[in-house]
């Protein structure tokens, strides 16, 4: 039988900020977006804020209604990434089978390590102590025989705890839990299940399979297997990631977009970032998708196939704009928009040769893109940008080039 751990850094972003701002450790504090720039949601909160019912993902306005004196700090993603990577380095001392699930969560398969480090509970407790001692952070770790139950275990006791779920614990620990506690049961799936009388994981595990397939399609069978503890998915080897299927970016600008010029400005900025990421991963796309949210919060997505694979911002932008003109008008202002490259292929994959006169122009475009990528990679993503992206700061504020945080601080500093 396998031994799988799921480790979750407790209140990750807020806990890291408390290392640098210990004065906020015992008062309600959260890491959140910028309300003035309309990125006003809670990204993480500390335990005192959690006691006021503040939840990750809710708006800053709603959080401040619950706790008017809530201290909100701006996010420092580069710093958080350093700590998450440092935690992963600790995990790697025990196994090479480590799979990320978000920036601050990891699965570990320690089946082959038990002869060296002890059983799953011993390894989990040693990891918990090391993370606290070396990073000043706490983790909750679930120990079980599959990934799904290990994830549930890490959620059962927080913070700074280890929970074991054995096969014989299934009916006493897992089955009574609400069905939404099961991984991959989202809001829509939970609603469908509850409307038909399935409220707990146990009821999902024992439901009629034909009924589940009719209700949820092929996902019904996989969810039932997960609920019953029959998940057999492996923890990937360290460094092995799932193949990238799409690359996209979206934003809610400083004000609603009311004209085609507004849409183009934002679309060009998004296309610039998506194209840079395509080249970074040595990929090209054969399709483009746009996501549009109106001021009324109605949302829609549209996509199309491209005439030829590309990884260049201008190609992405032009096709995204064409899609927008075909399917949307501006009778209602647009609140947010997203651009996504789809149907990805390796940049070195064989392509149809062409004799069209624009071939030399594309070669020059590729050389220019490589130079811009190198400069932006060294000095920050906005070191070189088209001047027109700075034309309207009431819509899009590019800000300064991103500064990389080099300071690494533990609780012993």
């Amino acid at each position: 039988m396998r031994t799988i751990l799921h480790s979750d850094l407790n209140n990750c972003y807020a806990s890291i900020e408390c290392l640098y701002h210990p004065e906020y450790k015992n008062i309600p504090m959260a890491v959140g977006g910028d309300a003035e720039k309309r990125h006003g949601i809670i990204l993480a909160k500390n335990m005192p804020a959690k006691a006021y019912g503040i939840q990750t993902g809710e708006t800053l306005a709603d959080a401040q209604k619950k706790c008017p004196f809530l201290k909100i700090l701006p996010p420092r993603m580069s710093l958080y990434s350093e700590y998450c990577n440092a935690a992963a380095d600790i995990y790697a001392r025990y196994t090479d089978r480590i799979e990320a699930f978000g920036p601050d969560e990891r699965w570990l398969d320690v089946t082959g390590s038990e002869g060296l480090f002890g059983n799953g509970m011993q390894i989990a407790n040693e990891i918990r102590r090391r993370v606290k001692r070396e990073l000043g952070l706490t983790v909750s770790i679930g120990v079980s025989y599959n990934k799904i139950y290990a994830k549930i275990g890490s959620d059962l006791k927080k913070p700074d705890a280890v929970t074991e779920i054995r096969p014989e614990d299934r009916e006493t620990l897992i089955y009574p839990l609400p069905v939404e506690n099961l991984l991959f049961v989202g809001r829509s799936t939970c609603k469908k299940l509850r409307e038909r009388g399935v409220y707990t994981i146990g009821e999902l595990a024992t439901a009629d399979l034909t009924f589940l397939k009719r209700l949820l399609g092929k996902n019904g069978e996989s969810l039932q297997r997960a609920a019953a503890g029959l998940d057999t998915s492996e923890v990937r080897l360290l460094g092995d990631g799932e193949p990238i299927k799409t690359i996209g970016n979206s934003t809610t600008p400083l004000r609603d977009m009311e004209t085609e010029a507004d849409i183009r400005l934002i679309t060009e900025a998004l296309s610039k970032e998506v194209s840079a990421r395509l080249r970074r991963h040595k990929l090209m796309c054969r399709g483009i998708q746009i996501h549009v949210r109106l001021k009324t919060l109605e949302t829609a997505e549209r996509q199309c196939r491209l005439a030829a694979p590309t990884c260049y911002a201008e190609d992405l932008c032009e096709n995204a704009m064409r899609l927008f003109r075909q399917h949307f008008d501006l009778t209602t202002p647009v609140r947010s928009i997203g651009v996504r490259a789809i149907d990805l292929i390796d940049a070195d994959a064989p392509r149809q040769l062409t004799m069209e006169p624009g071939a030399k122009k594309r070669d020059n475009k590729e050389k220019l893109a490589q130079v811009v990528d190198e400069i932006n990679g060294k000095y920050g993503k906005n070191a070189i940008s088209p001047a027109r992206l700075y034309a309207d700061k009431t819509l899009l504020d590019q800000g300064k080039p991103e500064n990389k945080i080099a300071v690494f601080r533990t609780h012993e500093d």
Side-chain angles (χ1 to χ4, degrees):
M1 187 167 60
R2 298 184 301 163
T3 302
I4 309 295
L5 312 185
H6 181 270
S7 182
D8 183 2
L9 290 168
N10 299 137
N11 308 317
C12 180
Y13 300 169
S15 296
I16 293 170
E17 289 295 345
C18 284
L19 295 176
Y20 292 80
H21 300 283
E23 66 272 21
Y24 299 145
K25 187 174 182 179
N26 297 315
I27 67 171
M29 182 272 286
V31 176
D34 188 334
E36 292 184 0
K37 293 185 177 181
R38 305 205 304 173
H39 301 297
I41 65 168
I42 299 295
L43 301 176
K45 71 281 183 189
N46 66 0
M47 294 305 291
K50 189 175 182 179
Y52 279 84
I54 292 169
Q55 299 179 350
T56 300
E58 72 177 330
T59 65
L60 300 187
D62 288 342
Q64 288 171 322
K65 288 177 184 176
K66 297 176 181 177
C67 181
F69 49 89
L70 177 69
K71 177 66 179 179
I72 299 174
L73 298 179
R76 297 189 284 175
M77 303 309 294
S78 297
L79 180 63
Y80 309 151
S81 178
E82 288 190 26
Y83 274 89
C84 292
N85 291 337
D89 288 341
I90 292 175
Y91 306 152
R93 300 173 193 175
Y94 299 90
T95 180
D96 61 350
R97 288 198 169 274
I98 303 173
E99 181 180 340
F101 185 68
D104 56 346
E105 300 181 46
R106 297 288 192 281
W107 276 295
L108 294 74
D109 187 336
V110 297
T111 308
S113 307
E114 291 181 297
L116 293 172
F117 303 109
N119 62 35
M121 285 292 288
Q122 291 171 320
I123 294 173
N125 275 302
E126 189 172 330
I127 287 173
R128 182 178 60 85
R129 288 190 290 266
R130 280 181 177 269
V131 170
K132 184 184 290 187
R133 183 176 67 248
E134 297 179 25
L135 303 181
L137 303 175
T138 63
V139 293
S140 291
I141 302 178
V143 182
S144 194
Y145 60 98
N146 65 60
K147 290 166 65 176
I148 301 296
Y149 279 13
K151 164 66 174 166
I152 293 176
S154 70
D155 290 333
L156 283 180
K157 294 180 185 178
K158 293 178 180 287
D160 196 19
V162 175
T163 303
E164 184 177 25
I165 299 175
R166 303 164 298 177
E168 58 266 32
D169 298 324
R170 181 181 61 180
E171 295 187 9
T172 56
L173 285 181
I174 301 295
Y175 279 12
L177 295 173
V179 70
E180 58 265 30
N181 283 30
L182 187 68
L183 190 63
F184 304 125
V185 175
R187 186 179 302 173
S188 175
T189 300
C190 180
K191 182 181 178 181
K192 289 179 181 178
L193 290 169
R194 285 182 169 273
E195 287 175 345
R196 288 158 179 82
V198 179
Y199 294 95
T200 68
I201 293 178
E203 289 169 342
L204 175 60
T206 56
D208 180 72
L209 181 56
T210 303
F211 155 74
L212 288 176
K213 285 183 175 180
R214 187 166 58 246
L215 180 65
L216 303 174
K218 62 181 181 180
N219 196 37
E221 183 174 3
S222 61
L223 285 179
Q224 185 175 65
R225 288 182 58 80
L230 301 177
D231 170 55
T232 58
S233 59
E234 293 188 355
V235 178
R236 290 193 295 269
L237 279 168
L238 184 64
D240 284 355
E242 288 186 350
I244 299 173
K245 297 179 180 179
T246 67
I247 290 178
N249 201 3
S250 62
T251 190
T252 301
L254 304 180
R255 61 172 173 81
D256 291 336
M257 294 166 275
E258 300 177 338
T259 67
E260 185 171 313
D262 291 345
I263 299 293
R264 175 171 282 277
L265 178 66
I266 298 300
T267 300
E268 187 168 357
L270 295 172
S271 298
K272 168 178 168 281
E273 295 190 19
V274 172
S275 67
R277 288 167 59 196
L278 282 169
R279 290 190 295 275
R280 189 182 313 138
H281 293 288
K282 296 180 171 55
L283 296 169
M284 303 185 84
C285 67
R286 294 183 291 194
I288 189 80
Q289 180 186 74
I290 61 172
H291 174 93
V292 176
R293 174 171 291 179
L294 303 179
K295 184 178 181 179
T296 58
L297 301 185
E298 296 174 86
T299 61
E301 292 182 346
R302 295 293 184 271
Q303 64 184 46
C304 69
R305 189 172 179 84
L306 304 181
T310 186
C311 61
Y312 301 119
E314 52 265 48
D315 298 335
L316 300 180
C317 181
E318 289 305 322
N319 282 281
M321 288 301 301
R322 178 168 56 84
L323 264 179
F324 183 86
R325 294 189 200 100
Q326 288 175 349
H327 299 285
F328 301 94
D329 58 42
L330 287 162
T331 52
T332 301
V334 174
R335 177 176 173 80
S336 67
I337 194 166
V339 174
R340 181 169 298 278
I342 61 175
D343 194 8
L344 306 184
I345 60 170
D346 191 280
D348 297 325
R351 282 177 281 162
Q352 180 69 44
L353 295 176
T354 177
M355 299 297 291
E356 61 180 283
K360 184 176 181 181
K361 183 178 179 181
R362 282 197 304 276
D363 290 341
N364 293 334
K365 186 191 300 185
E366 183 168 348
K367 292 175 183 177
L368 177 61
Q370 289 173 350
V371 172
V372 171
D373 288 346
E374 289 176 7
I375 294 173
N376 286 344
K378 185 174 182 180
Y379 297 104
K381 65 180 182 180
N382 292 327
I384 293 184
S385 292
R388 55 186 168 272
L389 296 186
Y390 296 85
D392 187 349
K393 288 197 173 184
T394 68
L395 187 67
L396 179 66
D397 184 1
Q398 288 285 80
K400 297 178 181 179
E402 181 182 0
N403 291 319
K404 296 182 178 179
I405 299 173
V407 177
F408 186 78
R409 181 175 183 176
T410 73
H411 67 301
E412 297 175 338
D413 291 337

